[in-house]
Amino acid sequence: MNDTQQQYDVLVIGGGPAGLSAALVLGRSRRSVLVVDAGEPRNAPAAHMQAFLSRDGAPPSDLLAAGRAEVAAYGVDIVGDSIAEIDRTATGFTATTTSGATYDAGRVVLATGLRDVLPDVPGIRERWGRDVIHCPYCHGWEVRDQRIAVLATGPMSAHQAQLFRQLSDRVTFLAGDTDPDAETRTALEARGIEIVTGPVAELVVEDDRLTGVRTGSGAVLPLDVLVVGTRMEAPRDLPDRLGLEMTELPGMGRQVTVDDMGATTVPGVWAAGNAADVRMQVINAAAAGNLAGAAVNMDMVQEEVRLAVQQQASRTTA
Ligand SMILES: Cc1cc2nc3c(=O)[nH]c(=O)nc-3n(C[C@H](O)[C@H](O)[C@H](O)COP(=O)(O)OP(=O)(O)OC[C@H]3O[C@@H](n4cnc5c(N)ncnc54)[C@H](O)[C@@H]3O)c2cc1C
C-alpha cells in the first residue's frame, strides 16, 4: 500500500439503491466503508420512481440524495468515481479508479447495476424512459388507456403485450421480424391486441412527444407509447477480473451468480441489486443491498471470533 492508498473494511462499488443500502447496514455496524459511485443509475432517464412503498412517484435522484445523507451520517465515505480495476491481495482487494485513486478493502460489495441494451431502431434511445418504456410496474399506470405498441424483440414480448393490455385496451403488437406461433397469436387476438407484421423503420416524434412509428412500408401507426424489451446485462469487466461466476438468462440478459444473501462464488465478494438479479426494481435492489450488507458484517464477525479464540488459546498456553 502506498501513501495515498486508503484502507477500508468494505468497498461498495456502485451507489444506487443496492449499494447505499449495503453501506447503510455496514456503517451502522461500525465498519469503515467506502462507496465509489460512477453516478449513472439505471433509471436516470425516468422523471419518476414508481412502486416504492412510501416513495411512489418521487424523482429517483431524491431517493439517492436521501440515501447518501443517511449513510454519510454513519461515517461512510462516498466518492464520485468509477472502479476500473480490482485485484485480490494477501489481505483482501485493491481497486483503482478511472481517475487513478487506489483503495484497499477486506471485502467488496458489487452493486454496479446493469446496462439496458436497446433495440436498434432509430429514435428509441432518445425517447428511452420517457415514452419508450419497458416495465408495466414502473410506468404502466401512467400510460393507462393510451395507444400503446409493444415491439417484439424476443420470446417475452408477447407476455409484455398481455401485461400492458391490463392497462389499456388500445394495445398493438409490432411483430417485426418475429413470427408469433399460433398459440401466441390466438392469445393476443383473444384480448383484442392487433398484430402488425413487418419491420419498424423509425419512431415519429413531434413537439418532443412520440406520435407514432413508421413501418417498413412507410405507413405511420399513430401511438402514444412504445414498449420495448431490453437485453439486461450486468457489466462483466469487474466480475471477470474477480473470477466471479455469471448466469446467462436466455433471451433476457446476464447477472452475477449469488446465493440468497448475495455471496458470489468468490470468498470476500458479494453482489446486490440488478448486478445480481436483472428483475429487481428499486425496492428489491435496496432490500438485496441490506441483506448483502448484513452478510458481509456477519462474515467479518465470524472472522473476528475465530481470531479472538485463537488469541485466547495462545495466551492460555503461553
Ligand atoms: C427507464 C427505467 C425506469 C425505471 N423505473 C423504475 C420505477 O419507476 N420503479 C422501480 O422500482 N424501478 C424502476 N426501474 C428499475 C431501477 O432502475 C432498478 O431497479 C434500480 O436502479 C436497481 O438499483 P441498483 O442499485 O442495482 O443499480 P443502479 O441504480 O443502476 O445503480 C448502480 C450504480 O453503480 C454505478 N456503477 C456502475 N459501475 C460502476 C463502477 N465500475 N464503479 C463505480 N460505480 C459504478 C452506476 O453508475 C450506478 O450509479 C427503472 C429502470 C429503467 C431503465
Side-chain angles (χ1 to χ4, degrees):
M1 190 164 76
N2 66 41
D3 290 349
T4 55
Q5 252 166 283
Q6 292 177 61
Q7 172 75 43
Y8 289 88
D9 290 333
V10 187
L11 169 64
V12 178
I13 309 177
L20 289 174
S21 289
L24 184 60
V25 171
L26 289 160
R28 286 175 51 78
S29 304
R30 309 185 79 178
R31 302 299 182 184
S32 65
V33 182
L34 172 68
V35 178
V36 177
D37 182 37
E40 291 177 359
R42 184 182 171 208
N43 56 352
H48 303 283
M49 176 193 69
Q50 309 293 345
F52 191 118
L53 192 64
S54 82
R55 300 287 178 278
D56 184 47
S61 55
D62 280 10
L63 179 91
L64 299 180
R68 282 194 291 268
E70 284 172 3
V71 302
Y74 294 102
V76 170
D77 288 340
I78 305 176
V79 170
D81 207 338
S82 181
I83 299 291
E85 293 176 4
I86 187 160
D87 292 297
R88 189 172 267 292
T89 63
T91 54
F93 302 88
T94 188
T96 309
T97 69
T98 46
S99 67
T102 302
Y103 302 101
D104 289 333
R107 285 159 181 78
V108 171
V109 177
L110 202 64
T112 43
L114 63 77
R115 191 171 73 97
D116 286 289
V117 182
L118 297 167
D120 189 17
V121 174
I124 283 187
R125 176 157 300 285
E126 293 78 5
R127 308 303 305 172
W128 173 235
R130 301 167 72 192
D131 34 30
V132 175
I133 61 175
H134 69 304
C135 160
Y137 307 109
C138 305
H139 318 273
W141 172 265
E142 285 64 38
V143 302
R144 65 194 183 282
D145 295 329
Q146 295 187 18
R147 294 169 303 178
I148 300 171
V150 177
L151 176 64
T153 51
M156 296 302 286
S157 300
H159 180 62
Q160 225 177 358
Q162 296 288 8
L163 290 175
F164 275 93
R165 176 63 184 80
Q166 167 67 15
L167 299 153
S168 174
D169 57 10
R170 296 191 288 169
V171 176
T172 305
F173 186 72
L174 299 171
D177 299 331
T178 67
D179 185 16
D181 61 24
E183 190 185 347
T184 304
R185 280 180 175 276
T186 304
L188 291 169
E189 285 164 359
R191 297 243 291 165
I193 299 170
E194 190 194 350
I195 302 172
V196 173
T197 53
V200 171
E202 62 175 357
L203 273 56
V204 180
V205 177
E206 291 165 24
D207 297 329
D208 197 26
R209 200 170 58 82
L210 178 71
T211 55
V213 291
R214 197 180 311 279
T215 63
S217 69
V220 172
L221 174 76
L223 279 185
D224 302 304
V225 175
L226 180 67
V227 175
V228 299
T230 70
R231 186 175 147 79
M232 297 176 282
E233 292 185 343
R236 64 173 320 146
D237 48 346
L238 300 179
D240 279 353
R241 233 179 140 101
L242 288 164
L244 307 186
E245 184 182 304
M246 297 193 81
T247 304
E248 282 293 331
L249 308 165
M252 214 173 169
R254 174 181 70 215
Q255 62 196 28
V256 175
T257 310
V258 291
D259 72 7
D260 58 359
M261 293 297 282
T264 69
T265 48
V266 169
V269 184
W270 284 255
N274 276 162
D277 188 337
V278 300
R279 299 162 308 171
M280 284 187 176
Q281 292 202 275
V282 174
I283 200 161
N284 316 104
N290 174 288
L291 278 180
V296 172
N297 184 55
M298 175 56 93
D299 189 58
M300 293 183 74
V301 168
Q302 282 170 344
E303 184 180 324
E304 285 150 4
V305 170
R306 219 170 22 248
L307 286 173
V309 169
Q310 274 170 16
Q311 281 165 6
Q312 192 185 46
S314 56
R315 273 197 303 272
T316 315
T317 53

